[in-house]
Amino acid sequence: DRSLVALDFFKRHVLSRKRLVPIMLEPTSAGLGNRVEGYVDKQVDLHSFLTGDKDDVFCIYAKGDSMIGADIFDGDMVVVDSSLPVQEGDIVVAYMEDKGEQTIKRLKYSNGFIMLVAENPKYQPIKVVPKDIRIMGAVTKVIHDIKSGKKSKR
């Protein structure tokens, strides 16, 4: 399975590297401006920030527009934690064994079925028998590419 090979590569070669990035301790206003008293106060390890130093975390790119209501856009990267217990209402990455497909959707339960619900009204929920699905993990963060040559379709 290509996804598992990619996940293994990501864990061995990307997550194993520590990257410290400067961070300002004082939050910056997204509304009216505020004074900047100092510059770098400390550093943040992006690996720790994104994964919580867990081994059961991976990233996957979102494709399509079915989750735009949850601010997940085509081309965004989502961080997924497979060690977290998932609950109804969580956004998950689910592998539908009968279709051989994986998807990012909101998890719901209904009359013994699992419902994978899009966050875009133009898509109907996907009704799945529990034995035909594997929840790969809960989405914990979304990474938007704001300024680069690559644009998310928003």
Side-chain angles (χ1 to χ4, degrees):
D1 180 276
R2 281 181 38 209
S3 295
L4 295 177
V5 171
L7 175 58
D8 182 58
F9 177 85
F10 182 77
K11 285 181 177 179
R12 285 187 294 117
H13 297 285
V14 177
L15 294 183
S16 63
R17 298 179 193 157
K18 192 171 217 161
R19 297 284 188 249
L20 297 178
V21 177
I23 186 170
M24 295 177 67
L25 194 57
E26 191 67 32
T28 299
S29 172
L32 299 175
N34 61 334
R35 287 184 37 162
V36 177
E37 296 298 324
Y39 292 101
V40 176
D41 290 315
K42 63 179 183 175
Q43 295 181 326
V44 63
D45 175 2
L46 287 181
H47 171 257
S48 294
F49 175 75
L50 291 174
T51 69
D53 287 324
K54 295 180 180 178
D55 290 330
D56 298 328
V57 174
F58 63 96
C59 295
I60 192 167
Y61 285 103
K63 180 179 171 187
D65 65 353
S66 69
M67 294 302 289
I68 60 174
D71 290 331
I72 300 173
F73 301 95
D74 187 54
D76 284 352
M77 182 181 287
V78 297
V79 179
V80 183
D81 189 334
S82 61
S83 71
L84 292 176
V86 295
Q87 301 174 5
E88 184 169 17
D90 286 350
I91 296 175
V92 300
V93 174
Y95 179 72
M96 297 174 286
E97 308 224 0
D98 58 332
K99 296 179 181 180
E101 298 173 356
Q102 63 191 26
T103 187
I104 301 168
K105 297 288 185 282
R106 190 165 301 278
L107 180 68
K108 300 280 184 177
Y109 300 104
S110 178
N111 298 322
F113 290 94
I114 292 176
M115 305 297 287
L116 299 173
V117 182
E119 292 287 333
N120 183 335
K122 74 181 198 183
Y123 295 96
Q124 295 297 314
I126 301 168
K127 186 177 185 179
V128 185
V129 177
K131 71 175 185 62
D132 292 336
I133 191 168
R134 181 170 42 132
I135 304 298
M136 298 175 67
V139 174
T140 58
K141 291 180 176 51
V142 179
I143 302 169
H144 297 291
D145 202 11
I146 293 178
K147 185 171 179 158
S148 73
K150 181 177 160 249
K151 300 281 187 196
S152 292
K153 296 176 184 166
R154 299 180 191 201

